[in-house]
Amino acid sequence: MRVVTEIPHAAVKITVFAWNGKYLIKLERGPYEQTYKISEMEVAGDETIKQMLDETFINEAVSLFQQMHQHLMAALERAE
């Protein structure tokens, strides 16, 4: 697996990898990660990926990170 690019953003760390005919878009925020796999055949390259990661996508990802945190906290409470 190789790093294609890192895309700077204030809310999340974004790293794009190439591996096995796919691009892996990894978003990180705190202890949480989201990974999206896209066939290299579906996009023209890392510039297309950068265009895909618009503010709407990032805002929805941040919302999902918040949900992930809530789910983890609820699971921890149930386990006590």
PDB file of all heavy atoms in Angstrom, residues 27-45:
ATOM      1  N   LEU A  27     -10.160   8.821   6.595  1.00  0.00           N
ATOM      2  CA  LEU A  27     -10.414  10.025   7.373  1.00  0.00           C
ATOM      3  C   LEU A  27     -10.227   9.674   8.838  1.00  0.00           C
ATOM      4  O   LEU A  27     -10.724   8.633   9.289  1.00  0.00           O
ATOM      5  CB  LEU A  27     -11.840  10.537   7.150  1.00  0.00           C
ATOM      6  CG  LEU A  27     -12.126  11.144   5.778  1.00  0.00           C
ATOM      7  CD1 LEU A  27     -12.389  10.060   4.767  1.00  0.00           C
ATOM      8  CD2 LEU A  27     -13.300  12.079   5.862  1.00  0.00           C
ATOM      9  N   GLU A  28      -9.523  10.526   9.567  1.00  0.00           N
ATOM     10  CA  GLU A  28      -9.266  10.291  10.983  1.00  0.00           C
ATOM     11  C   GLU A  28      -9.656  11.535  11.777  1.00  0.00           C
ATOM     12  O   GLU A  28      -9.397  12.660  11.352  1.00  0.00           O
ATOM     13  CB  GLU A  28      -7.785  10.001  11.227  1.00  0.00           C
ATOM     14  CG  GLU A  28      -7.274   8.772  10.522  1.00  0.00           C
ATOM     15  CD  GLU A  28      -5.790   8.615  10.705  1.00  0.00           C
ATOM     16  OE1 GLU A  28      -5.357   8.208  11.808  1.00  0.00           O
ATOM     17  OE2 GLU A  28      -5.050   8.917   9.746  1.00  0.00           O
ATOM     18  N   ARG A  29     -10.257  11.278  12.921  1.00  0.00           N
ATOM     19  CA  ARG A  29     -10.589  12.352  13.860  1.00  0.00           C
ATOM     20  C   ARG A  29     -10.517  11.744  15.247  1.00  0.00           C
ATOM     21  O   ARG A  29     -11.321  10.855  15.583  1.00  0.00           O
ATOM     22  CB  ARG A  29     -11.966  12.920  13.581  1.00  0.00           C
ATOM     23  CG  ARG A  29     -12.304  14.099  14.470  1.00  0.00           C
ATOM     24  CD  ARG A  29     -13.601  14.733  14.053  1.00  0.00           C
ATOM     25  NE  ARG A  29     -14.017  15.698  15.039  1.00  0.00           N
ATOM     26  CZ  ARG A  29     -14.492  16.891  14.763  1.00  0.00           C
ATOM     27  NH1 ARG A  29     -14.625  17.264  13.513  1.00  0.00           N
ATOM     28  NH2 ARG A  29     -14.854  17.705  15.726  1.00  0.00           N
ATOM     29  N   GLY A  30      -9.556  12.191  16.023  1.00  0.00           N
ATOM     30  CA  GLY A  30      -9.375  11.625  17.355  1.00  0.00           C
ATOM     31  C   GLY A  30      -9.101  10.136  17.239  1.00  0.00           C
ATOM     32  O   GLY A  30      -8.321   9.704  16.388  1.00  0.00           O
ATOM     33  N   PRO A  31      -9.788   9.325  18.068  1.00  0.00           N
ATOM     34  CA  PRO A  31      -9.535   7.888  18.047  1.00  0.00           C
ATOM     35  C   PRO A  31     -10.340   7.128  16.971  1.00  0.00           C
ATOM     36  O   PRO A  31     -10.306   5.908  16.918  1.00  0.00           O
ATOM     37  CB  PRO A  31      -9.976   7.440  19.443  1.00  0.00           C
ATOM     38  CG  PRO A  31     -11.074   8.384  19.786  1.00  0.00           C
ATOM     39  CD  PRO A  31     -10.661   9.706  19.172  1.00  0.00           C
ATOM     40  N   TYR A  32     -11.041   7.860  16.116  1.00  0.00           N
ATOM     41  CA  TYR A  32     -11.953   7.222  15.156  1.00  0.00           C
ATOM     42  C   TYR A  32     -11.421   7.338  13.736  1.00  0.00           C
ATOM     43  O   TYR A  32     -10.736   8.288  13.384  1.00  0.00           O
ATOM     44  CB  TYR A  32     -13.342   7.849  15.251  1.00  0.00           C
ATOM     45  CG  TYR A  32     -13.892   7.807  16.650  1.00  0.00           C
ATOM     46  CD1 TYR A  32     -13.923   8.944  17.435  1.00  0.00           C
ATOM     47  CD2 TYR A  32     -14.332   6.604  17.201  1.00  0.00           C
ATOM     48  CE1 TYR A  32     -14.404   8.900  18.731  1.00  0.00           C
ATOM     49  CE2 TYR A  32     -14.804   6.554  18.500  1.00  0.00           C
ATOM     50  CZ  TYR A  32     -14.849   7.705  19.261  1.00  0.00           C
ATOM     51  OH  TYR A  32     -15.309   7.667  20.551  1.00  0.00           O
ATOM     52  N   GLU A  33     -11.766   6.346  12.907  1.00  0.00           N
ATOM     53  CA  GLU A  33     -11.363   6.306  11.503  1.00  0.00           C
ATOM     54  C   GLU A  33     -12.546   5.907  10.633  1.00  0.00           C
ATOM     55  O   GLU A  33     -13.385   5.103  11.046  1.00  0.00           O
ATOM     56  CB  GLU A  33     -10.271   5.263  11.273  1.00  0.00           C
ATOM     57  CG  GLU A  33      -8.983   5.507  11.979  1.00  0.00           C
ATOM     58  CD  GLU A  33      -7.953   4.414  11.698  1.00  0.00           C
ATOM     59  OE1 GLU A  33      -8.264   3.442  10.980  1.00  0.00           O
ATOM     60  OE2 GLU A  33      -6.831   4.543  12.206  1.00  0.00           O
ATOM     61  N   GLN A  34     -12.566   6.452   9.435  1.00  0.00           N
ATOM     62  CA  GLN A  34     -13.494   6.022   8.398  1.00  0.00           C
ATOM     63  C   GLN A  34     -12.648   5.758   7.158  1.00  0.00           C
ATOM     64  O   GLN A  34     -11.773   6.550   6.824  1.00  0.00           O
ATOM     65  CB  GLN A  34     -14.519   7.105   8.066  1.00  0.00           C
ATOM     66  CG  GLN A  34     -15.432   7.485   9.205  1.00  0.00           C
ATOM     67  CD  GLN A  34     -16.331   8.648   8.847  1.00  0.00           C
ATOM     68  OE1 GLN A  34     -16.824   8.750   7.725  1.00  0.00           O
ATOM     69  NE2 GLN A  34     -16.545   9.522   9.810  1.00  0.00           N
ATOM     70  N   THR A  35     -12.915   4.646   6.475  1.00  0.00           N
ATOM     71  CA  THR A  35     -12.183   4.325   5.254  1.00  0.00           C
ATOM     72  C   THR A  35     -13.178   4.029   4.143  1.00  0.00           C
ATOM     73  O   THR A  35     -14.113   3.256   4.327  1.00  0.00           O
ATOM     74  CB  THR A  35     -11.251   3.113   5.457  1.00  0.00           C
ATOM     75  OG1 THR A  35     -10.351   3.406   6.523  1.00  0.00           O
ATOM     76  CG2 THR A  35     -10.456   2.817   4.193  1.00  0.00           C
ATOM     77  N   TYR A  36     -12.947   4.646   3.011  1.00  0.00           N
ATOM     78  CA  TYR A  36     -13.784   4.455   1.828  1.00  0.00           C
ATOM     79  C   TYR A  36     -12.902   3.883   0.738  1.00  0.00           C
ATOM     80  O   TYR A  36     -11.814   4.397   0.477  1.00  0.00           O
ATOM     81  CB  TYR A  36     -14.394   5.791   1.378  1.00  0.00           C
ATOM     82  CG  TYR A  36     -15.277   6.402   2.432  1.00  0.00           C
ATOM     83  CD1 TYR A  36     -14.743   7.209   3.435  1.00  0.00           C
ATOM     84  CD2 TYR A  36     -16.633   6.153   2.428  1.00  0.00           C
ATOM     85  CE1 TYR A  36     -15.550   7.762   4.414  1.00  0.00           C
ATOM     86  CE2 TYR A  36     -17.449   6.709   3.410  1.00  0.00           C
ATOM     87  CZ  TYR A  36     -16.899   7.505   4.397  1.00  0.00           C
ATOM     88  OH  TYR A  36     -17.709   8.045   5.371  1.00  0.00           O
ATOM     89  N   LYS A  37     -13.360   2.814   0.077  1.00  0.00           N
ATOM     90  CA  LYS A  37     -12.604   2.173  -1.003  1.00  0.00           C
ATOM     91  C   LYS A  37     -13.297   2.471  -2.322  1.00  0.00           C
ATOM     92  O   LYS A  37     -14.503   2.270  -2.468  1.00  0.00           O
ATOM     93  CB  LYS A  37     -12.545   0.659  -0.788  1.00  0.00           C
ATOM     94  CG  LYS A  37     -11.790   0.253   0.454  1.00  0.00           C
ATOM     95  CD  LYS A  37     -11.801  -1.254   0.605  1.00  0.00           C
ATOM     96  CE  LYS A  37     -11.139  -1.670   1.904  1.00  0.00           C
ATOM     97  NZ  LYS A  37     -11.207  -3.122   2.093  1.00  0.00           N
ATOM     98  N   ILE A  38     -12.492   2.920  -3.288  1.00  0.00           N
ATOM     99  CA  ILE A  38     -13.014   3.252  -4.614  1.00  0.00           C
ATOM    100  C   ILE A  38     -12.108   2.603  -5.645  1.00  0.00           C
ATOM    101  O   ILE A  38     -10.880   2.737  -5.578  1.00  0.00           O
ATOM    102  CB  ILE A  38     -13.027   4.772  -4.840  1.00  0.00           C
ATOM    103  CG1 ILE A  38     -13.861   5.478  -3.770  1.00  0.00           C
ATOM    104  CG2 ILE A  38     -13.561   5.112  -6.223  1.00  0.00           C
ATOM    105  CD1 ILE A  38     -13.736   6.983  -3.817  1.00  0.00           C
ATOM    106  N   SER A  39     -12.702   1.925  -6.601  1.00  0.00           N
ATOM    107  CA  SER A  39     -11.922   1.331  -7.680  1.00  0.00           C
ATOM    108  C   SER A  39     -11.171   2.424  -8.433  1.00  0.00           C
ATOM    109  O   SER A  39     -11.714   3.511  -8.680  1.00  0.00           O
ATOM    110  CB  SER A  39     -12.840   0.582  -8.643  1.00  0.00           C
ATOM    111  OG  SER A  39     -12.118   0.185  -9.796  1.00  0.00           O
ATOM    112  N   GLU A  40      -9.929   2.143  -8.793  1.00  0.00           N
ATOM    113  CA  GLU A  40      -9.155   3.094  -9.590  1.00  0.00           C
ATOM    114  C   GLU A  40      -9.834   3.374 -10.923  1.00  0.00           C
ATOM    115  O   GLU A  40      -9.611   4.421 -11.530  1.00  0.00           O
ATOM    116  CB  GLU A  40      -7.734   2.573  -9.813  1.00  0.00           C
ATOM    117  CG  GLU A  40      -6.883   2.603  -8.573  1.00  0.00           C
ATOM    118  CD  GLU A  40      -5.473   2.075  -8.791  1.00  0.00           C
ATOM    119  OE1 GLU A  40      -5.196   1.525  -9.878  1.00  0.00           O
ATOM    120  OE2 GLU A  40      -4.654   2.195  -7.871  1.00  0.00           O
ATOM    121  N   MET A  41     -10.689   2.465 -11.387  1.00  0.00           N
ATOM    122  CA  MET A  41     -11.404   2.639 -12.651  1.00  0.00           C
ATOM    123  C   MET A  41     -12.534   3.667 -12.535  1.00  0.00           C
ATOM    124  O   MET A  41     -13.010   4.170 -13.543  1.00  0.00           O
ATOM    125  CB  MET A  41     -11.976   1.291 -13.119  1.00  0.00           C
ATOM    126  CG  MET A  41     -10.936   0.182 -13.232  1.00  0.00           C
ATOM    127  SD  MET A  41      -9.644   0.541 -14.415  1.00  0.00           S
ATOM    128  CE  MET A  41     -10.512   0.204 -15.905  1.00  0.00           C
ATOM    129  N   GLU A  42     -12.979   3.962 -11.322  1.00  0.00           N
ATOM    130  CA  GLU A  42     -14.107   4.877 -11.114  1.00  0.00           C
ATOM    131  C   GLU A  42     -13.705   6.345 -11.065  1.00  0.00           C
ATOM    132  O   GLU A  42     -14.572   7.214 -11.183  1.00  0.00           O
ATOM    133  CB  GLU A  42     -14.854   4.516  -9.831  1.00  0.00           C
ATOM    134  CG  GLU A  42     -15.582   3.197  -9.904  1.00  0.00           C
ATOM    135  CD  GLU A  42     -16.395   2.918  -8.656  1.00  0.00           C
ATOM    136  OE1 GLU A  42     -17.074   3.832  -8.171  1.00  0.00           O
ATOM    137  OE2 GLU A  42     -16.334   1.778  -8.172  1.00  0.00           O
ATOM    138  N   VAL A  43     -12.432   6.624 -10.867  1.00  0.00           N
ATOM    139  CA  VAL A  43     -11.984   8.014 -10.760  1.00  0.00           C
ATOM    140  C   VAL A  43     -10.768   8.237 -11.653  1.00  0.00           C
ATOM    141  O   VAL A  43     -10.025   7.306 -11.962  1.00  0.00           O
ATOM    142  CB  VAL A  43     -11.642   8.393  -9.299  1.00  0.00           C
ATOM    143  CG1 VAL A  43     -12.886   8.385  -8.435  1.00  0.00           C
ATOM    144  CG2 VAL A  43     -10.596   7.477  -8.710  1.00  0.00           C
ATOM    145  N   ALA A  44     -10.565   9.495 -12.024  1.00  0.00           N
ATOM    146  CA  ALA A  44      -9.462   9.828 -12.933  1.00  0.00           C
ATOM    147  C   ALA A  44      -8.138  10.001 -12.201  1.00  0.00           C
ATOM    148  O   ALA A  44      -7.111  10.182 -12.825  1.00  0.00           O
ATOM    149  CB  ALA A  44      -9.801  11.097 -13.706  1.00  0.00           C
ATOM    150  N   GLY A  45      -8.155   9.961 -10.885  1.00  0.00           N
ATOM    151  CA  GLY A  45      -6.922  10.108 -10.119  1.00  0.00           C
ATOM    152  C   GLY A  45      -7.158  10.897  -8.854  1.00  0.00           C
ATOM    153  O   GLY A  45      -8.297  11.164  -8.467  1.00  0.00           O
TER     154      GLY A  45
END
